[in-house]
Amino acid sequence: MPELPDVERFKTYLDATALHQRIDDVHVENARILDGVSASRLRDVLKGHSLEKSWRHGKYLFVRLDGVEKDEGNTGSDTGSNKDHDRPVLAFHFGMTGSLSYFKDLSDAPEHDRLRLDFDNGYHLSFDNQRMLGRVRLIADPEKFIADQKLGPDALAPDLDRKTFESRLAGRRGRLKSVLMNQKLVSGIGNITADEILFQARLHPETPIDSLSEESRKALWREMRNVLKTYVERGAGSGDYSDLPRSYLLHAREEGASCPRCNGKIRKFTTAGRSGYFCPACQPAPE
DNA sequence: CCTATAGCCTGACGGC
DNA sequence: TGCCGTCAGGCTATAG
């Protein structure tokens, strides 16, 4: 499930619920979802601290910790350890399934609770991750993390402009859909939003990226921003995307469904092991 | 360097 | 009802 719009919703949710509360305890229900940090170290680092600020980059949700209590024996000398960049950051990635869940009663814990924080107000925050393809990390430097992962700029970053976008796609030879989903070029687009962007831009998913006309490249840029913004706005809150415009492909993700725009038949196809949908009439094959 | 393909995981669903 | 294959809103390691 979690693509850019979903992770944006998780950020809103976390901001509205779990910030600024002291973490009393940490439960790692399944250590498989941890990467680069042990359960005991994660607990040691989190305990007594609070979540202070979150932000999203592509499909990652970062959460900076703050020190509610100073470490023992580190009280006197102020060597700059209080600066933002010295505080560790939690990095959530949800994989194909998952979400965050904030609740009071443990009986309301999600079924696939993999990591749970207990706050001093009696509430809990759980990392819900059925298929365990998601990962939680503890990182020192988010900028470095993004650089190390070679992640491209966030697809909705305000300072990402069309020129930069196009320059990042330049020189690629792959098919349109797999290029859009390559997080190293632009971060945040997944299977659903890739299909939607291509549908709205009226581009065939298997168009070689290097064959796009100037006009098509403009449409691609425009619809990438439009579609992602629209998904974020309409999905905000519930994560129910049924309120998307009628002209959106999301309502017709089924072989043989009628195209929301031309009433032709929607077709199912497979690229890179992922199944997708498109309208052969609205999105004619290249050549 | 690049692109395309298995494999990782669990669970829901449809066909037999 | 039960079993089994398929498939799922992602990514990585590996092959070509």
Side-chain angles (χ1 to χ4, degrees), chain A residues 14 16-24 48-52 68 102 118-124:
Chain A
L14 180 128
T17 55
L19 295 184
H20 315 308
Q21 298 155 35
R22 181 193 148 106
I23 298 165
D24 281 343
H49 294 258
S50 63
L51 310 178
E52 278 307 309
V68 172
Y102 185 80
D118 298 341
F119 297 111
D120 65 354
N121 65 355
Y123 280 76
H124 315 273

Side-chain angles (χ1 to χ4, degrees), chain A residues 173-176 206-212 286:
Chain A
R173 289 174 290 116
R175 320 263 187 157
L176 211 32
E206 298 190 320
T207 310
I209 184 83
D210 56 5
S211 74
L212 289 186

Side-chain angles (χ1 to χ4, degrees), chain A residues 162 165-166 169 176 180 197-198 200-204 207-224 284 286:
Chain A
R162 186 169 73 88
F165 173 67
E166 289 191 9
L169 304 187
L176 211 32
L180 272 186
I197 290 164
L198 294 171
Q200 297 301 332
R202 302 181 188 238
L203 295 169
H204 191 285
T207 310
I209 184 83
D210 56 5
S211 74
L212 289 186
S213 66
E214 171 78 13
E215 190 186 358
S216 295
R217 290 199 301 272
K218 279 185 180 168
L220 188 62
W221 162 254
R222 187 179 63 240
E223 296 306 335
M224 179 184 81

Side-chain angles (χ1 to χ4, degrees), chain A residues 150-164:
Chain A
K150 299 184 165 55
L151 291 177
D154 183 81
L156 277 186
D159 60 349
L160 176 63
D161 57 26
R162 186 169 73 88
K163 262 184 105 172
T164 309

Side-chain angles (χ1 to χ4, degrees), chain A residues 4-5 7 18 20 22 32 37 68 78 107 118 129 171 184 189 197 200 208 254 276 282 284:
Chain A
L4 185 153
V7 180
H20 315 308
R22 181 193 148 106
R32 184 183 287 277
V37 61
V68 172
D78 185 18
S107 65
D118 298 341
N129 203 247
K184 294 180 170 61
I189 299 169
I197 290 164
Q200 297 301 332
E254 195 179 345
C282 295

